[in-house]
Amino acid sequence: MTRPSVPFSPAVAAASLSGQSDAEWAKAAAPYVGCAFLGGIALDSRSRDAARGMRKRDREEFLPDDPIEFIRTQLEALEDVPIRAGINVRSSAVEPIQEAAVACASAGAILEVNAHCRQEEMCAIGCGESLLRNTDRLCEYVSVAAETGATVSVKVRTEVDGVDLPETARQVAAAGVDVVHVDAMDSEPVVGAVVDTLEAGTDATVGRRPVVVANNGVRDRETVREYLGYGADAVSVGRPSDDPEVLSRVREAVVKWFENGTAD
C-alpha cells in the first residue's frame, strides 16, 4: 500500500477552534503549518440557532449574516498566503454542505465535515459527534461534498459510546472522503487502528487510502513521534495553535520525521 500524499506541506495543520479560527488566525500560523482549518461554522438555521444558544453560555461562535459568503470572504483573504485553507462546518441539512463545498472547491480549500463537536445543542439537532452514530447520514454529507470536486475531510473523535471509529472511517472512505481528522482524546492507539482499517479496506489497485491527521495534545517531538509512529500521515495543533513556540517545535519534529523516519 502506498502511503497517501498529504494535501498540504509541511504535514502539520492548525485545527479549528470554535468561533476563534478565522483568516487572521490562519495568517499568523502560516509560517509553521501547511494547513489551517477555519471554523467551525454553522451553516443552516437549526445549527445557527444552536450556536446562538452556545453563545448564551459564553462559548465563542461564528454567526455571520450569510455563512456561505463569510466562507468565500475568509478564503479570499488567504489567497496570497502560502497555506492550504480548510473550512470546518456544521449543518443539520445536506444542502448547505454542498454549497460550502462548492465555495471550497473554487478556492482550492478543504471542506471539513464536523462530526466532532460534543456540545449538547449541536448533538440534539444531529450535528457534531451525533453524526458518528448515524453513519449513513455522515456518508451522505461526505458524498455530496465530494461530488463538487472539493477535497473533503471529516473531523471525528474517539471515546464516543457505541461508536466503532475505525469502522466509521472505513465507511466514510468508501463515500469519498480524502482526510480523516482524528481527535484522539485519551485513546491515542485508536489512530493506529483507524490507519490499519483504512489500509485493509482500500483496494490494492487504487493504491491509496484517505490521509489520517492526528489531533489532541500535539505539542512537541514526543507527541509527534507517537502519532506518526501509529501511522498517522500528519498532525494538527488545536488550542496552542496561536503559540509560535509550540507550532515551531511541532513543525521541526514533523519535518525531521519525514526526512529521517524519526522526530529526533
Side-chain angles (χ1 to χ4, degrees):
M1 181 68 62
T2 303
R3 196 181 188 102
S5 176
V6 177
F8 48 86
S9 180
V12 182
S16 62
L17 299 171
S18 183
Q20 302 175 47
S21 301
D22 59 7
E24 292 304 312
W25 162 86
K27 289 177 184 178
Y32 311 100
V33 305
C35 177
F37 289 98
L38 285 63
I41 299 170
L43 297 178
D44 68 323
S45 60
R46 295 182 73 202
S47 61
R48 287 166 65 77
D49 284 345
R52 290 186 187 95
M54 292 157 63
R55 267 193 176 179
K56 289 179 180 178
R57 51 185 182 84
D58 296 326
R59 288 189 60 87
E60 294 185 61
E61 287 293 324
F62 290 118
L63 279 168
D65 291 337
D66 184 337
I68 300 300
E69 184 58 30
F70 178 73
I71 289 172
R72 294 193 185 102
T73 300
Q74 291 287 295
L75 293 177
E76 287 172 4
L78 294 173
E79 281 181 346
D80 297 324
V81 180
I83 195 171
R84 183 82 184 268
I87 302 289
N88 179 285
V89 298
R90 297 171 295 199
S91 180
S92 67
V94 69
E95 293 81 4
I97 296 287
Q98 184 179 46
E99 289 185 75
V102 168
C104 288
S106 65
I110 300 170
L111 185 284
E112 182 166 87
V113 176
N114 185 317
H116 172 267
C117 177
R118 55 182 172 178
Q119 301 305 312
E120 291 181 5
E121 295 91 339
M122 288 294 170
C123 292
I125 60 168
C127 292
E129 73 172 32
S130 66
L131 286 168
L132 298 178
R133 299 188 179 92
N134 190 344
T135 313
D136 288 345
R137 191 151 159 269
L138 178 57
C139 288
E140 181 185 14
Y141 283 16
V142 168
S143 178
V144 165
E147 287 171 359
T148 70
T151 299
V152 182
S153 172
V154 171
K155 181 75 177 289
V156 299
R157 69 164 67 249
T158 64
E159 301 184 357
V160 178
D161 290 343
V163 172
D164 181 342
L165 192 60
E167 172 59 19
T168 299
R170 185 193 68 77
Q171 292 189 42
V172 295
V177 86
D178 300 288
V179 178
V180 179
H181 190 175
V182 183
D183 183 342
M185 304 296 286
D186 293 316
S187 301
E188 291 84 355
V190 175
V191 172
V194 167
V195 171
D196 290 345
T197 297
L198 289 173
E199 289 189 344
T202 301
D203 189 332
T205 62
V206 176
R208 66 170 297 277
R209 58 164 172 78
V211 168
V212 175
V213 179
N215 170 265
N216 196 58
V218 177
R219 304 286 189 274
D220 48 28
R221 180 182 64 187
E222 288 71 24
T223 49
V224 166
R225 181 167 53 192
E226 179 178 23
Y227 282 126
L228 298 184
Y230 281 128
D233 307 293
V235 296
S236 72
V237 180
R239 296 197 181 281
S241 57
D242 59 356
D243 186 333
E245 291 187 10
V246 171
L247 293 178
S248 180
R249 287 199 303 267
V250 171
R251 177 191 172 105
E252 180 181 5
V254 168
V255 170
K256 284 186 177 180
W257 175 278
F258 287 109
E259 286 179 347
N260 308 319
T262 175
D264 295 332

